[in-house]
Amino acid sequence: MHTEGTSQEPVLPELAELVAWCLEHLDRLAEGYLIQLRSIDGYAHLNIPRDDLQATTAEALELILRKAAGMPVSTYLQGVSEAIGRRRATQGVPLELLLQAVRMVFRLLWTTLQSQATPPQREALDRSAVQLWEAIEFHTVRVHAGYLAEVSRIHRERETEISVILSGFLEKDRPEPARVMHVARTLGLPHDRPYLVMAVALNQLADVRTRASKAGGRAQIHARADSTLVLLPTSGASSGLPSWTEGLRVAAAPPAETLADVPRAWGIAHDLLVSAADDAPMPRTLLEGWPDLFVTAQPEIASSVAACVVDGLSRMADESRRDVLGTVQTYLHTGSPSATADALYCHRNTVLKRLARFKELTGLDPSIPWDAATIRIAFAVEFQGRSSGAP
């Protein structure tokens, strides 16, 4: 099956004669093009078989010449450009080198046609330069599109492979050494270094990738079923979160000592994220979010603890109760009546009165660490219930 050429200008007979000569000598033209390719830094060192280059060059030249001269183009030739782009992407040719090589075709064809043309043919060639350039641009655009399509396909396959490997790796608290080494090779990560393991809300995946890339791109970022895994190699000296996590819904586990410890750390980070109330302060670490984990793991015990604390406040009006609870919660974060007053835009004495009222009604003093731990569990139950819509 053939399709007609798409040139908008009528083809001059002299140009058609010149193109016909080129089509009879495609092998010679292809050989000359391959010689020119060696002038491109890096192209000669690519692992592309010479027969492959010779065959695809001849097909590309035939397509361009036929398009330029308005000759019929077969369905097969119509798809050659995209096929070349896909093939070179698979072979690992950098896109910049590929496009540079493709655009060299114009110089080759122009000098060849000029050298072979009679005076009338040369005049026709000069008048048809735009048609030749449009044919080369047709080829270039489709090579580029094919390359990008293949890169995208390879990327999707790679993401699928990594997802499957990670699923098997993360489901065990302590994976076997062979699986650890397989993950290390697949992700290009050292197996014996410590890692900061974070879970991030899935709807912030694009933002995480942008921020991590701007920060240096050392983080490995992988979408999971309900959240995003972030692996960041660290020195192990500090478990502090990177500054780019500010403003994101991020939960971090204590650093994993080696890659083998990542699954356990991921379990902690993931549970910290999914157990957090919608309005919970973020980012958060285990030290900040452990009450939520306790509530999730031991809901009946946690609810009983909360009942002992919160029921004492039942005699208060709703508004007063909210004020007292909010003051105690803020105080647990600041540890200072003055800082609490600043955060709530009220007087320090107001804070002290609310803390005293809380102690009077519950028997728990937020300033005592032992009592504060119990209060934190009670608050975790309270705020998780609000987040889930419970009455």
Side-chain angles (χ1 to χ4, degrees):
M1 177 178 177
H2 289 73
T3 58
E4 296 301 317
T6 59
S7 175
Q8 299 300 311
E9 298 292 333
V11 178
L12 301 174
E14 295 85 357
L15 177 64
E17 293 173 2
L18 195 55
V19 167
W21 179 90
C22 289
L23 290 174
E24 292 177 2
H25 298 84
L26 277 178
D27 289 341
R28 187 198 303 180
L29 287 175
E31 185 64 33
Y33 176 74
L34 296 184
I35 292 173
Q36 289 189 20
L37 274 184
R38 297 172 191 159
S39 66
I40 300 179
D41 291 339
Y43 213 97
H45 302 291
L46 296 173
N47 188 27
I48 304 176
R50 183 175 178 78
D51 289 348
D52 181 352
L53 284 172
Q54 181 84 24
T56 54
T57 297
E59 291 175 342
L61 290 173
E62 182 178 358
L63 168 67
I64 292 167
L65 288 166
R66 286 182 172 276
K67 296 276 303 175
M71 296 179 174
V73 178
S74 69
T75 302
Y76 173 78
L77 277 183
Q78 289 277 9
V80 157
S81 305
E82 185 174 342
I84 290 174
R86 287 182 175 274
R87 190 173 185 83
R88 297 297 178 255
T90 302
Q91 292 167 331
V93 178
L95 179 59
E96 294 78 7
L97 283 183
L98 176 61
L99 294 180
Q100 186 179 352
V102 169
R103 292 191 172 102
M104 286 179 62
V105 172
F106 182 82
R107 183 173 65 185
L108 169 75
L109 289 180
W110 187 258
T111 56
T112 300
L113 292 169
Q114 285 281 359
S115 66
Q116 294 297 324
T118 63
Q121 289 174 337
R122 190 171 293 114
E123 181 182 349
L125 181 61
D126 290 340
R127 292 167 58 187
S128 305
V130 172
Q131 292 159 267
L132 178 60
W133 179 254
E134 287 178 346
I136 293 174
E137 192 63 17
F138 174 92
H139 173 61
T140 303
V141 168
R142 281 154 182 77
V143 168
H144 194 173
Y147 186 98
L148 295 180
E150 185 64 15
V151 167
S152 178
R153 184 194 67 79
I154 293 171
H155 179 73
R156 289 195 302 270
E157 288 186 355
R158 169 76 172 167
E159 286 291 312
T160 300
E161 177 191 9
I162 290 175
S163 179
V164 171
I165 291 173
L166 279 177
S167 294
F169 174 64
L170 295 174
E171 69 184 8
K172 298 183 178 181
D173 281 350
R174 190 72 184 180
E176 57 273 19
R179 189 183 291 271
V180 173
M181 295 306 295
H182 182 45
V183 170
R185 286 192 299 270
T186 301
L187 299 184
L189 294 171
H191 70 280
D192 54 354
R193 283 192 60 182
Y195 291 91
L196 181 60
V197 182
M198 295 178 281
V200 188
L202 196 58
N203 62 0
Q204 295 179 328
L205 174 59
D207 202 4
V208 168
R209 283 181 168 156
T210 299
R211 293 190 185 195
S213 177
K214 290 181 178 178
R218 293 192 308 129
Q220 290 256 356
I221 302 168
H222 303 284
R224 309 301 300 148
D226 60 354
S227 55
T228 299
L229 165 66
V230 179
L231 277 178
L232 184 63
T234 179
S235 64
S238 171
S239 59
L241 301 184
S243 59
W244 57 260
T245 62
E246 287 299 323
L248 296 177
R249 194 167 175 81
V250 176
E257 293 185 6
T258 67
L259 191 61
D261 301 305
V262 164
R264 181 173 177 275
W266 164 247
I268 294 172
H270 173 268
D271 291 347
L272 275 173
L273 180 68
V274 300
S275 65
D278 291 341
D279 57 353
M282 289 286 179
R284 61 169 17 192
T285 64
L286 180 59
L287 294 180
E288 297 158 338
W290 69 264
D292 290 318
L293 292 187
F294 178 79
V295 171
T296 302
Q298 300 290 340
E300 293 184 3
I301 296 176
S303 295
S304 297
V305 171
C308 295
V309 177
V310 179
D311 285 356
L313 305 174
S314 59
R315 298 194 301 273
M316 301 181 70
D318 287 346
E319 184 175 354
S320 298
R321 183 174 182 271
R322 283 195 298 270
D323 289 342
V324 168
L325 288 175
T327 299
V328 173
Q329 184 188 29
T330 304
Y331 176 79
L332 290 175
H333 281 286
T334 66
S336 163
S338 297
T340 301
D342 290 342
L344 298 177
Y345 302 100
C346 64
H347 197 277
R348 183 176 185 275
N349 287 341
T350 301
V351 172
L352 293 174
K353 288 178 181 178
R354 290 174 181 173
L355 295 178
R357 183 62 170 159
F358 182 87
K359 179 181 178 182
E360 174 189 343
L361 294 174
T362 65
L364 297 172
D365 187 346
S367 66
I368 298 176
W370 191 274
D371 288 354
T374 303
I375 297 169
R376 288 189 66 186
I377 292 175
F379 279 12
V381 174
E382 175 81 3
F383 292 116
Q384 279 194 19
R386 289 185 194 176
S387 179
S388 63

